[in-house]
Amino acid sequence: MPLPNPIPETAQPPQRLLLGPGPSPVHPRILEALARPTLGHLDPAYLKIMDQLQGMLRRLFQTENPMTFAISGTGTAGMETALVNLLEPGDGALVCVNGYFGGRMAEIAERTGARVTRLERPWGEVFEAGEIEAALEHGAVKVVALVMAETSTGALQPLAEIAEAVRRHDALLVVDAVTALGCVPVAVEAWGIDAIYSCSQKGLGCPSGLSPVSFSPRAMAAVAARKTPVQSWYLDLTLLARYWDEGKSARVYHHTAPSNMTYALHEGARRLLEESLDGVYARHRRNHEALAAGLAALGMPYTAQEGHRLPQLNAVAVPEGVAEGVVRQQLLERFGIEIGGGLGVFAGKVWRIGLMGHGSREGNVLLLLAALEQLLVEQGHRFDPGAGVAAANASYRKQRKHPAKPETDGQGSGAE
Ligand SMILES: *Cc1c(COP(=O)(O)O)cnc(C)c1O
């Protein structure tokens, strides 16, 4: 008898080149790691892999924080973990909003019952320590939250001075490093960050599903001093610590760890450390310089403030008269390349080109520029065809002749 609902064919996702705001391309070595045998979350063999993962995450975050681990969930779960554990009803929170993800932090903070003040900046700009310090003068603030790499605008937020100001006011600093980790230097201990979270699918080059996090002893003391239980049982750090905190004698079941995703993240972290963090940062810079030269030649200005542009997320204005969505759709259908459109106030006006993780490579920059040029010609955009690819190639030639000095932490505080 025929089944009333035929069983679909096995899922066959097409090959794509993921050059959007995430997920980034996944290296075959990571896909292989995913296919290894599933283990139970208390199997000694699995616990060893977990320990190693925690050790590598500490190196990526540049911290010794014992509470450095991976939340089972995407970057937003990391965001929620940081905010729901550090805030309880009545607490003061200052959330800096200069893009879409700062807004998401504010929404989550508001749901905790905290008294949230939003400090706003136009999209594409960054915050200065002085204005945060001034905001801290008005009334008690327990938590200051901001986004280091604002994926909606392509802006890189400097943190060292802000962290000092937050410290002076005895507040806790929460940082969104979802798009930062594995692309630009993140120095948790040198800067004095109290809570930080990232994700598996951007700079770490894995599928989405895990959120690396780190909490300072100060942050953990604030969690221990809460008057009310954390309203999320799943994300409660006091419960999660019984499984993840190596200081504890035995790991105690909280929820079933996604072991295969852990292998993937383990492999992603290994790949970054093998290349060396300085090498990873330099590669992201190099490919960004070349792409930026190419996009400038095509007449596409960046949306982020000069001097504060993310190498891994290039947000540029769509040229006048060009059908934003059509170009993106054709890039996907004809060339198999994914890029991102704008969010919020940038919807329909901005393209977001990610060169993250394994995606940040010379071949990808040249391929994207060539495909984009072809579509812009078809759109009737007036420019010198071939100029984008030529400018990127010229940038690579120049960079090979004069290689950049390795970065330290990129923010002048001498970390690493
Ligand atoms: C992608 C992103 C998030 C959300 O992460 P998900 O993994 O999609 O939950 C949060 N903040 C920033 C800055 C991001 O770029």
Side-chain angles (χ1 to χ4, degrees):
M1 221 175 72
L3 291 168
N5 291 308
I7 299 168
E9 300 283 304
T10 190
Q12 289 290 4
Q15 282 292 343
R16 302 281 198 223
L17 178 55
L18 299 172
L19 301 182
S24 63
V26 179
H27 191 275
R29 241 174 68 185
I30 292 175
L31 291 175
E32 261 171 51
L34 274 166
R36 291 180 190 147
T38 300
L39 289 176
H41 51 279
L42 293 174
D43 187 314
Y46 181 68
L47 298 184
K48 192 170 151 208
I49 294 169
M50 232 172 107
D51 286 347
Q52 292 175 345
L53 174 65
Q54 289 187 271
M56 289 192 287
L57 292 179
R58 287 189 191 102
R59 288 170 69 181
L60 299 186
F61 278 125
Q62 300 179 42
T63 180
E64 308 266 307
N65 286 339
M67 277 301 275
T68 302
F69 64 103
I71 293 284
S72 305
T74 66
T76 307
M79 183 187 290
E80 194 131 10
T81 304
L83 295 168
V84 303
N85 280 276
L86 295 178
L87 292 171
E88 56 187 320
D91 284 344
L94 181 69
V95 183
C96 301
V97 182
N98 56 352
Y100 178 85
F101 290 103
R104 183 177 292 185
M105 281 180 120
E107 280 181 38
I108 293 176
E110 279 156 6
R111 289 183 185 210
T112 67
R115 294 174 291 104
V116 177
T117 307
R118 292 183 189 225
L119 188 62
E120 309 233 7
R121 269 271 190 177
W123 282 40
E125 294 185 8
V126 297
F127 291 92
E128 279 160 27
E131 64 195 307
I132 289 175
E133 185 118 46
L136 287 170
E137 310 284 338
H138 311 293
V141 170
K142 181 179 179 190
V143 165
V144 175
L146 82 183
V147 177
M148 180 174 173
E150 185 42 91
T151 320
S152 61
T153 68
L156 174 59
Q157 173 66 57
L159 290 173
E161 280 181 37
I162 289 175
E164 277 174 35
V166 172
R167 236 341 113 92
R168 270 197 296 282
H169 289 265
D170 210 24
L172 296 163
L173 181 60
V174 174
V175 169
D176 178 316
V178 174
T179 297
L181 194 69
C183 302
V184 291
V186 177
V188 168
E189 224 147 275
W191 297 338
I193 295 168
D194 295 295
I196 191 161
Y197 55 87
S198 188
C199 74
S200 49
Q201 79 274 16
K202 297 182 189 185
L204 289 148
C206 303
S208 72
L210 285 178
S211 173
V213 295
S214 186
F215 293 87
S216 71
R218 262 163 53 96
M220 293 309 293
V223 177
R226 288 177 64 105
K227 292 185 221 72
T228 57
V230 177
Q231 73 264 30
S232 167
W233 191 91
Y234 193 67
L235 301 176
D236 184 337
L237 284 173
T238 59
L239 302 178
L240 286 166
R242 299 169 63 199
Y243 184 58
W244 282 103
D245 190 340
E246 291 162 303
K248 301 284 184 319
S249 52
R251 305 235 188 221
V252 178
Y253 165 74
H254 174 262
H255 67 271
T256 311
S259 49
N260 294 62
M261 267 308 295
T262 301
Y263 314 150
L265 190 59
H266 185 280
E267 195 62 26
R270 284 187 70 241
R271 278 179 47 77
L272 291 181
L273 294 172
E274 269 177 10
E275 186 179 351
S276 90
L277 292 183
D278 280 344
V280 168
Y281 306 145
R283 174 168 55 80
H284 280 86
R285 278 241 83 81
R286 194 161 60 239
N287 292 315
H288 162 73
E289 296 288 334
L291 178 66
L295 294 172
L298 303 182
M300 283 186 253
Y302 276 68
T303 56
Q305 198 177 331
E306 178 94 58
H308 296 285
R309 291 178 186 151
L310 288 170
Q312 67 274 38
L313 196 285
N314 298 263
V316 289
V318 176
E320 201 74 40
V322 168
E324 185 276 315
V326 173
V327 170
R328 242 177 335 116
Q329 184 194 349
Q330 299 257 310
L331 268 177
L332 192 67
E333 286 176 4
R334 282 166 51 192
F335 299 95
I337 302 174
E338 176 178 281
I339 66 168
L343 290 175
V345 297
F346 283 173
K349 298 181 191 146
V350 164
W351 282 321
R352 294 182 302 147
I353 301 166
L355 295 175
M356 297 173 182
H358 182 52
S360 175
R361 284 181 302 151
E362 181 169 342
N364 292 345
V365 170
L366 299 174
L367 185 63
L368 171 69
L369 285 168
L372 198 54
E373 286 197 23
Q374 176 57 31
L375 295 174
L376 288 173
V377 167
E378 292 171 19
Q379 285 281 316
H381 176 51
R382 291 167 64 103
F383 70 108
D384 183 9
V389 172
N393 273 314
S395 166
Y396 281 123
R397 274 196 305 277
K398 196 171 127 209
Q399 296 190 66
R400 271 192 280 270
K401 245 193 218 155
H402 309 285
K405 285 197 212 74
E407 281 187 76
T408 51
D409 62 5
Q411 302 199 3
S413 77
E416 266 220 322

Short mmCIF file of all heavy atoms in Angstrom, two decimals, residues 21-22 73-79 100-102 104-105 147-152 176-180 197-202 208-211 352 356, ligand 1:
data_model
loop_
_atom_site.label_atom_id
_atom_site.label_comp_id
_atom_site.label_asym_id
_atom_site.label_seq_id
_atom_site.Cartn_x
_atom_site.Cartn_y
_atom_site.Cartn_z
N PRO A 21 27.40 36.91 6.98
CA PRO A 21 27.72 37.20 8.39
C PRO A 21 27.74 35.94 9.26
O PRO A 21 27.70 36.04 10.48
CB PRO A 21 26.58 38.14 8.79
CG PRO A 21 25.45 37.79 7.88
CD PRO A 21 26.04 37.31 6.60
N GLY A 22 27.80 34.79 8.69
CA GLY A 22 27.82 33.52 9.42
C GLY A 22 26.57 32.72 9.09
O GLY A 22 25.52 33.32 8.86
N GLY A 73 24.26 25.69 22.67
CA GLY A 73 23.34 26.63 22.04
C GLY A 73 24.15 27.58 21.17
O GLY A 73 25.38 27.55 21.21
N THR A 74 23.49 28.44 20.43
CA THR A 74 24.21 29.34 19.53
C THR A 74 24.68 30.58 20.31
O THR A 74 24.49 30.67 21.53
CB THR A 74 23.32 29.77 18.36
OG1 THR A 74 22.24 30.56 18.87
CG2 THR A 74 22.77 28.57 17.60
N GLY A 75 25.26 31.53 19.61
CA GLY A 75 25.78 32.74 20.25
C GLY A 75 24.76 33.43 21.13
O GLY A 75 25.10 33.95 22.20
N THR A 76 23.51 33.42 20.72
CA THR A 76 22.48 34.08 21.51
C THR A 76 22.30 33.40 22.87
O THR A 76 21.99 34.05 23.87
CB THR A 76 21.14 34.10 20.74
OG1 THR A 76 21.40 34.66 19.45
CG2 THR A 76 20.09 34.94 21.44
N ALA A 77 22.53 32.09 22.92
CA ALA A 77 22.46 31.38 24.21
C ALA A 77 23.60 31.86 25.12
O ALA A 77 23.42 31.98 26.34
CB ALA A 77 22.54 29.87 24.00
N GLY A 78 24.76 32.14 24.53
CA GLY A 78 25.86 32.70 25.31
C GLY A 78 25.50 34.08 25.84
O GLY A 78 25.76 34.42 27.00
N MET A 79 24.87 34.88 24.98
CA MET A 79 24.43 36.23 25.37
C MET A 79 23.45 36.13 26.55
O MET A 79 23.56 36.82 27.56
CB MET A 79 23.73 36.89 24.16
CG MET A 79 23.28 38.32 24.38
SD MET A 79 22.28 38.97 23.00
CE MET A 79 23.43 39.15 21.66
N TYR A 100 22.38 46.26 15.56
CA TYR A 100 21.32 45.28 15.83
C TYR A 100 21.58 44.44 17.09
O TYR A 100 20.67 44.20 17.88
CB TYR A 100 21.18 44.37 14.60
CG TYR A 100 20.16 43.29 14.75
CD1 TYR A 100 18.82 43.53 14.47
CD2 TYR A 100 20.53 42.02 15.18
CE1 TYR A 100 17.88 42.53 14.61
CE2 TYR A 100 19.60 41.01 15.32
CZ TYR A 100 18.28 41.27 15.05
OH TYR A 100 17.35 40.29 15.20
N PHE A 101 22.83 43.97 17.25
CA PHE A 101 23.07 43.01 18.34
C PHE A 101 23.15 43.69 19.71
O PHE A 101 22.82 43.08 20.72
CB PHE A 101 24.27 42.13 18.03
CG PHE A 101 23.97 41.17 16.91
CD1 PHE A 101 24.44 41.39 15.63
CD2 PHE A 101 23.14 40.08 17.13
CE1 PHE A 101 24.12 40.53 14.58
CE2 PHE A 101 22.80 39.21 16.09
CZ PHE A 101 23.30 39.44 14.82
N GLY A 102 23.55 44.96 19.74
CA GLY A 102 23.45 45.71 20.98
C GLY A 102 21.99 45.81 21.41
O GLY A 102 21.66 45.69 22.59
N ARG A 104 19.71 43.57 20.76
CA ARG A 104 19.29 42.26 21.29
C ARG A 104 19.74 42.10 22.75
O ARG A 104 19.00 41.57 23.58
CB ARG A 104 19.87 41.14 20.41
CG ARG A 104 19.43 39.75 20.85
CD ARG A 104 19.94 38.66 19.93
NE ARG A 104 19.33 38.69 18.60
CZ ARG A 104 19.54 37.78 17.66
NH1 ARG A 104 20.32 36.73 17.90
NH2 ARG A 104 18.96 37.88 16.47
N MET A 105 20.97 42.58 23.05
CA MET A 105 21.45 42.51 24.44
C MET A 105 20.52 43.29 25.36
O MET A 105 20.19 42.83 26.46
CB MET A 105 22.85 43.14 24.55
CG MET A 105 23.97 42.26 24.09
SD MET A 105 25.53 43.18 24.30
CE MET A 105 26.39 42.10 25.41
N VAL A 147 28.99 45.27 22.48
CA VAL A 147 29.34 44.33 21.42
C VAL A 147 30.71 44.71 20.87
O VAL A 147 30.93 45.85 20.49
CB VAL A 147 28.28 44.39 20.29
CG1 VAL A 147 28.68 43.45 19.14
CG2 VAL A 147 26.90 44.05 20.81
N MET A 148 31.62 43.75 20.84
CA MET A 148 32.96 44.03 20.35
C MET A 148 33.00 44.10 18.82
O MET A 148 33.62 44.99 18.26
CB MET A 148 33.91 42.94 20.85
CG MET A 148 35.31 43.16 20.38
SD MET A 148 36.45 41.97 21.12
CE MET A 148 37.91 42.40 20.18
N ALA A 149 32.35 43.15 18.17
CA ALA A 149 32.33 43.13 16.70
C ALA A 149 30.87 43.17 16.29
O ALA A 149 30.18 42.16 16.32
CB ALA A 149 33.02 41.88 16.18
N GLU A 150 30.38 44.37 15.95
CA GLU A 150 28.95 44.54 15.64
C GLU A 150 28.72 44.10 14.19
O GLU A 150 29.03 44.81 13.24
CB GLU A 150 28.56 46.01 15.91
CG GLU A 150 27.11 46.39 15.77
CD GLU A 150 26.04 45.43 16.33
OE1 GLU A 150 25.62 45.54 17.50
OE2 GLU A 150 25.61 44.58 15.53
N THR A 151 28.20 42.91 14.06
CA THR A 151 28.06 42.27 12.76
C THR A 151 27.06 42.99 11.85
O THR A 151 27.07 42.80 10.64
CB THR A 151 27.62 40.80 12.97
OG1 THR A 151 28.33 40.30 14.09
CG2 THR A 151 27.93 39.95 11.77
N SER A 152 26.19 43.80 12.43
CA SER A 152 25.21 44.50 11.59
C SER A 152 25.83 45.72 10.90
O SER A 152 25.31 46.18 9.89
CB SER A 152 24.01 44.94 12.43
OG SER A 152 24.41 45.83 13.46
N ASP A 176 30.12 40.97 23.97
CA ASP A 176 29.70 40.08 22.88
C ASP A 176 30.87 39.94 21.92
O ASP A 176 31.25 40.91 21.26
CB ASP A 176 28.48 40.69 22.17
CG ASP A 176 28.01 39.85 20.99
OD1 ASP A 176 28.85 39.38 20.21
OD2 ASP A 176 26.78 39.69 20.83
N ALA A 177 31.46 38.75 21.89
CA ALA A 177 32.58 38.49 20.97
C ALA A 177 32.17 37.43 19.96
O ALA A 177 32.99 36.65 19.48
CB ALA A 177 33.81 38.04 21.75
N VAL A 178 30.87 37.41 19.61
CA VAL A 178 30.36 36.36 18.73
C VAL A 178 31.09 36.39 17.39
O VAL A 178 31.52 35.35 16.88
CB VAL A 178 28.83 36.48 18.55
CG1 VAL A 178 28.33 35.46 17.52
CG2 VAL A 178 28.12 36.24 19.87
N THR A 179 31.28 37.58 16.81
CA THR A 179 31.97 37.68 15.53
C THR A 179 33.44 38.03 15.70
O THR A 179 34.18 38.12 14.73
CB THR A 179 31.25 38.73 14.65
OG1 THR A 179 29.92 38.27 14.41
CG2 THR A 179 31.90 38.91 13.29
N ALA A 180 33.90 38.23 16.94
CA ALA A 180 35.28 38.66 17.15
C ALA A 180 36.23 37.48 17.30
O ALA A 180 37.31 37.46 16.70
CB ALA A 180 35.35 39.55 18.39
N TYR A 197 31.16 35.98 25.49
CA TYR A 197 30.61 34.82 24.79
C TYR A 197 30.89 34.96 23.31
O TYR A 197 31.05 36.06 22.79
CB TYR A 197 29.10 34.69 25.05
CG TYR A 197 28.33 35.95 24.71
CD1 TYR A 197 27.85 36.16 23.43
CD2 TYR A 197 28.10 36.93 25.68
CE1 TYR A 197 27.16 37.32 23.11
CE2 TYR A 197 27.42 38.09 25.38
CZ TYR A 197 26.95 38.28 24.08
OH TYR A 197 26.28 39.44 23.77
N SER A 198 30.97 33.79 22.64
CA SER A 198 31.17 33.79 21.19
C SER A 198 30.27 32.71 20.59
O SER A 198 29.24 32.36 21.18
CB SER A 198 32.64 33.56 20.87
OG SER A 198 32.85 33.74 19.48
N CYS A 199 30.63 32.21 19.42
CA CYS A 199 29.83 31.14 18.80
C CYS A 199 30.75 30.23 18.03
O CYS A 199 31.91 30.54 17.82
CB CYS A 199 28.77 31.75 17.87
SG CYS A 199 29.48 32.38 16.34
N SER A 200 30.23 29.11 17.60
CA SER A 200 31.06 28.15 16.87
C SER A 200 31.14 28.44 15.37
O SER A 200 32.05 28.01 14.70
CB SER A 200 30.54 26.72 17.10
OG SER A 200 29.14 26.65 16.89
N GLN A 201 30.17 29.22 14.83
CA GLN A 201 30.02 29.25 13.36
C GLN A 201 30.58 30.48 12.66
O GLN A 201 30.31 30.69 11.49
CB GLN A 201 28.53 29.10 13.00
CG GLN A 201 27.67 30.35 13.14
CD GLN A 201 27.11 30.58 14.52
OE1 GLN A 201 27.57 29.98 15.47
NE2 GLN A 201 26.12 31.45 14.65
N LYS A 202 31.33 31.30 13.35
CA LYS A 202 31.89 32.47 12.67
C LYS A 202 33.42 32.30 12.62
O LYS A 202 33.91 31.53 11.82
CB LYS A 202 31.39 33.75 13.32
CG LYS A 202 29.85 33.85 13.16
CD LYS A 202 29.22 35.11 13.71
CE LYS A 202 27.69 34.97 13.69
NZ LYS A 202 26.97 36.18 14.10
N SER A 208 26.94 25.93 13.45
CA SER A 208 26.44 26.60 14.63
C SER A 208 25.94 25.58 15.64
O SER A 208 25.63 24.44 15.28
CB SER A 208 25.30 27.57 14.27
OG SER A 208 24.15 26.86 13.94
N GLY A 209 25.88 25.96 16.90
CA GLY A 209 25.34 25.06 17.91
C GLY A 209 26.04 25.13 19.26
O GLY A 209 25.50 24.67 20.25
N LEU A 210 27.25 25.71 19.30
CA LEU A 210 27.92 25.89 20.59
C LEU A 210 28.33 27.34 20.75
O LEU A 210 28.62 28.03 19.77
CB LEU A 210 29.15 24.99 20.69
CG LEU A 210 28.89 23.51 20.93
CD1 LEU A 210 30.20 22.74 20.97
CD2 LEU A 210 28.10 23.27 22.21
N SER A 211 28.37 27.78 22.00
CA SER A 211 28.76 29.15 22.30
C SER A 211 29.87 29.14 23.36
O SER A 211 29.60 28.97 24.55
CB SER A 211 27.55 29.92 22.82
OG SER A 211 27.93 31.20 23.28
N ARG A 352 26.61 42.73 3.47
CA ARG A 352 27.57 42.35 4.50
C ARG A 352 28.36 41.14 3.99
O ARG A 352 27.79 40.07 3.77
CB ARG A 352 26.85 42.05 5.81
CG ARG A 352 26.21 43.34 6.38
CD ARG A 352 25.53 43.09 7.69
NE ARG A 352 24.51 42.08 7.59
CZ ARG A 352 24.20 41.23 8.56
NH1 ARG A 352 24.86 41.27 9.70
NH2 ARG A 352 23.24 40.36 8.39
N MET A 356 35.39 35.20 7.25
CA MET A 356 35.58 34.69 8.61
C MET A 356 36.16 33.29 8.56
O MET A 356 35.77 32.49 7.70
CB MET A 356 34.23 34.54 9.31
CG MET A 356 33.47 35.80 9.50
SD MET A 356 31.84 35.39 10.15
CE MET A 356 31.15 37.04 10.22
C1 LIG B 1 25.69 36.25 15.06
C2 LIG B 1 25.69 37.16 16.22
C3 LIG B 1 24.93 36.90 17.36
C4 LIG B 1 23.94 35.78 17.43
O1 LIG B 1 24.54 34.56 17.37
P1 LIG B 1 23.67 33.27 16.99
O2 LIG B 1 24.73 32.22 16.91
O3 LIG B 1 23.02 33.57 15.69
O4 LIG B 1 22.70 33.04 18.06
C5 LIG B 1 25.06 37.74 18.45
N1 LIG B 1 25.89 38.79 18.41
C6 LIG B 1 26.62 39.10 17.32
C7 LIG B 1 27.50 40.29 17.33
C8 LIG B 1 26.53 38.30 16.19
O5 LIG B 1 27.23 38.59 15.11
#
